Amino acid sequence: MKDDQQEPSDRNVRRINLGKLMRPASIAFIGGAQVAGPIRACHRAGFAGEILVVNPKRAEIEGIACVPSIAALASAPDAAVLALSAARTVEALAELRAIGAAGAVAMAAGFAEQDQAGRSLQEALRRAAGNMAVLGPNCMGVLNQFDGAAVWGEDNHMARVTGPGCAIVSQSGAFLFGMTNVEQVFPLGYAVSIGNQAVVDMSDCITSLLDDVRVRAIGIYLEGLDDGAALGEACALARARGVPIVAIKGGDTVEGQRAAISHTAAMVVERDLWDAFRERYGIAEVTSPKALVETLKYLTVAGLPRGGRLTTVSFSGGLNGLIAAQAIQSGLALPQPLAKNAERLRAMMPPSVPISNPLDLNLPFRSSSGASMEDGGLVAEAIVALAEGVSDQVVFFVDVPRPDENRLNEAWLPSVEAMIEVARRLDLPCAVAGILPEGLDPALRQRLMDGGVAPLLGFGDTMTALRVAAELAQA
């Protein structure tokens, strides 16, 4: 629930405090045994700031001496994790506000998503927070993998992001918990769980994320438009700054609406209104968490293409038929190479390789007299010739055998890693995509990503990422 009578400056102050919550110098963990996991996550993140623990009955938790009360803290924290009951969460927020804390994560459920009493309690929480930046209630919090900070409700894997990355703001904490604990070589700089949005909402989070130049793309999972004007303003700002936004929308059906209300008390918006909103503000849409991951990865690592022309390479004529069919359905063009480049290709490829886009790169693993997969330089030259002057994005579809003592993967690596040279020479968004979800092992994904080539996983999700990138470019 929002307070429509607040002065405009209140939101500005909250957003300043939200920046401190997302990029904290100090974090207080308030609660009992439930804060042990969050503290471990903070250590796992490599947090370099001050960690404080508040508990009146314990001497220490996870090796950190406890302070008996919030009032007894020597200084006000930038962020606090509240592992408390719903009623005690409200009290703790008032105490944190009194000492000047910047923000907090309210983990507890039992608020507006539950019943009328919960709605009243959520209003009390909002009043207690004042101008503090409070995520939730009913949420996981925020992981900052750029700077190594976990203001988060449970222990979690952490993977530092050292270069540009993406961010996800989600009304579902479970989506983020799964992505951050399962996905590997995914440059997710920020994971922000917002729950019921009693104080800080999605528009606040997007605006704060745009202050960080390391964020190249933002994903959102939302169930409603509680403040459509503010969200539209934030999305317009993202568009003006060239940061694409990709959304998953929940709660479309009657059953979905019922689930959304019980999940985060979201005011669900009708599909036609959402489509109009999305089109107005240039928001792309996908339909699954995995498609969101692959699309954000592509936009972050490879960048936006200049249009919808796609060049693809594979070692499979059958797959090329699927690519051609899905490209047409997705509004992607498959341009043929320039005439002069087609001649170059015919000269370097064996007769068994038809010169066309999609290209079936039907080469032997090794050859003493002609083109082969082990000749990465020749493969790079061929792909450059195929795409040069006619394409906006280039993708190599291939499943590489997993690395083990048999070393079956090694024969495939020169031709796959040739895409790094292709990306450098063409200066276009380039990807290597596993046809299957496990088609590229993590070490190979990392090598490709370090070379500016997006390592994508799964044929269907890759085609979604290519379509979305082209739509965003053309918008």
Side-chain angles (χ1 to χ4, degrees):
M1 186 180 297
K2 295 294 175 189
D3 184 355
D4 296 330
Q5 297 180 350
Q6 289 180 348
E7 294 296 326
S9 61
D10 288 351
R11 172 159 264 174
N12 294 334
V13 173
R14 283 200 303 277
R15 285 181 173 175
I16 292 171
N17 285 332
L18 180 58
K20 296 178 181 179
L21 174 63
M22 288 187 171
R23 296 171 282 275
S26 57
I27 307 173
F29 294 88
I30 303 170
Q34 297 90 339
V35 301
I39 292 171
R40 289 195 297 272
C42 203
H43 285 311
R44 207 182 300 284
F47 183 62
E50 185 179 20
I51 297 177
L52 309 163
V53 182
V54 177
N55 186 289
K57 298 180 180 179
R58 293 173 177 242
E60 60 85 25
I61 298 177
E62 289 296 312
I64 301 173
C66 294
V67 175
S69 67
I70 292 171
L73 289 169
S75 59
D78 286 336
V81 174
L82 305 181
L84 303 166
S85 69
R88 181 69 185 104
T89 294
V90 176
E91 296 170 3
L93 283 174
E95 294 167 16
L96 285 166
R97 178 185 178 186
I99 67 169
V105 170
M107 292 170 53
F111 288 89
E113 80 283 0
Q114 185 164 298
D115 52 25
Q116 182 56 48
R119 287 190 284 274
S120 298
L121 192 60
Q122 184 160 308
E123 175 62 16
L125 179 148
R126 187 197 57 77
R127 290 195 303 268
N131 286 336
M132 287 176 59
V134 178
L135 292 174
N138 186 24
C139 79
M140 291 291 291
V142 56
L143 294 176
N144 175 348
Q145 298 191 127
F146 284 126
D147 304 307
V151 192
W152 192 248
E154 189 47 89
D155 198 358
N156 211 92
H157 281 288
M158 297 292 295
R160 289 295 289 269
V161 177
T162 57
C166 59
I168 299 178
V169 185
S170 174
Q171 286 187 255
S172 169
F175 279 177
L176 297 179
F177 189 77
M179 288 176 185
T180 54
N181 282 296
V182 174
E183 288 293 335
Q184 300 180 73
V185 198
F186 175 38
L188 181 62
Y190 291 98
V192 188
S193 165
I194 56 177
N196 291 12
Q197 306 181 85
V199 180
V200 166
D201 64 14
M202 188 166 286
S203 71
D204 297 321
C205 294
I206 292 172
T207 302
S208 183
L209 292 168
L210 291 172
D211 290 336
D212 192 330
V213 296
R214 296 171 295 184
V215 174
R216 297 286 178 86
I218 298 174
I220 60 177
Y221 170 76
L222 77 167
E223 294 168 342
L225 293 175
D226 292 3
D227 190 341
L231 181 58
E233 182 179 345
C235 292
L237 179 62
R239 188 173 184 176
R241 294 188 181 179
V243 178
I245 292 184
V246 184
I248 302 178
K249 171 70 171 62
D252 281 345
T253 65
V254 172
E255 294 79 7
Q257 292 173 6
R258 188 180 302 116
I261 292 168
S262 65
H263 178 217
T264 59
M267 297 175 62
V268 179
V269 65
E270 297 290 340
R271 167 49 63 172
D272 56 352
L273 180 58
W274 161 246
D275 284 341
F277 180 89
R278 182 176 59 79
E279 291 170 11
R280 177 173 182 177
Y281 293 108
I283 302 168
E285 185 173 13
V286 296
T287 58
S288 75
K290 185 57 175 171
L292 181 65
V293 166
E294 299 310 309
T295 302
L296 291 175
K297 191 193 306 178
Y298 185 55
L299 294 171
T300 299
V301 177
L304 274 175
R306 290 187 281 267
R309 300 174 301 171
L310 170 67
T311 293
T312 74
V313 179
S314 79
F315 293 132
S316 168
L319 181 70
N320 286 347
L322 292 176
I323 292 170
Q326 290 209 14
I328 292 170
Q329 295 171 6
S330 301
L332 296 167
L334 295 169
Q336 296 308 309
L338 297 172
K340 62 178 182 179
N341 286 352
E343 289 302 315
R344 286 169 52 201
L345 279 164
R346 288 189 185 95
M348 69 178 77
M349 291 289 109
S352 59
V353 176
I355 305 306
S356 66
N357 176 30
L359 178 66
D360 178 5
L361 199 60
N362 185 21
L363 298 176
F365 285 109
R366 295 176 179 84
S367 173
S368 59
S369 59
S372 71
M373 287 172 55
E374 68 179 355
D375 189 345
L378 182 141
V379 171
E381 189 68 32
I383 297 174
V384 167
L386 187 69
E388 188 177 43
V390 298
S391 190
D392 299 308
Q393 46 188 340
V394 183
V395 181
F396 191 164
F397 283 98
V398 59
D399 285 332
V400 178
R402 60 183 178 271
D404 58 20
E405 67 278 4
N406 298 309
R407 303 170 69 176
L408 299 178
N409 63 311
E410 293 182 1
W412 299 73
L413 297 181
S415 56
V416 171
E417 293 178 353
M419 282 296 290
I420 296 173
E421 175 67 10
V422 171
R424 186 190 68 79
R425 289 179 57 182
L426 291 177
D427 192 25
L428 294 175
C430 290
V432 173
I435 303 164
L436 298 175
E438 296 186 28
L440 304 173
D441 78 88
L444 178 56
R445 290 179 233 165
Q446 189 65 58
R447 288 203 297 278
L448 291 167
M449 194 164 73
D450 291 344
V453 174
L456 304 182
L457 300 173
F459 175 72
D461 292 323
T462 295
M463 292 303 296
T464 295
L466 300 173
R467 171 186 61 78
V468 167
E471 288 175 357
L472 285 166
Q474 292 166 346

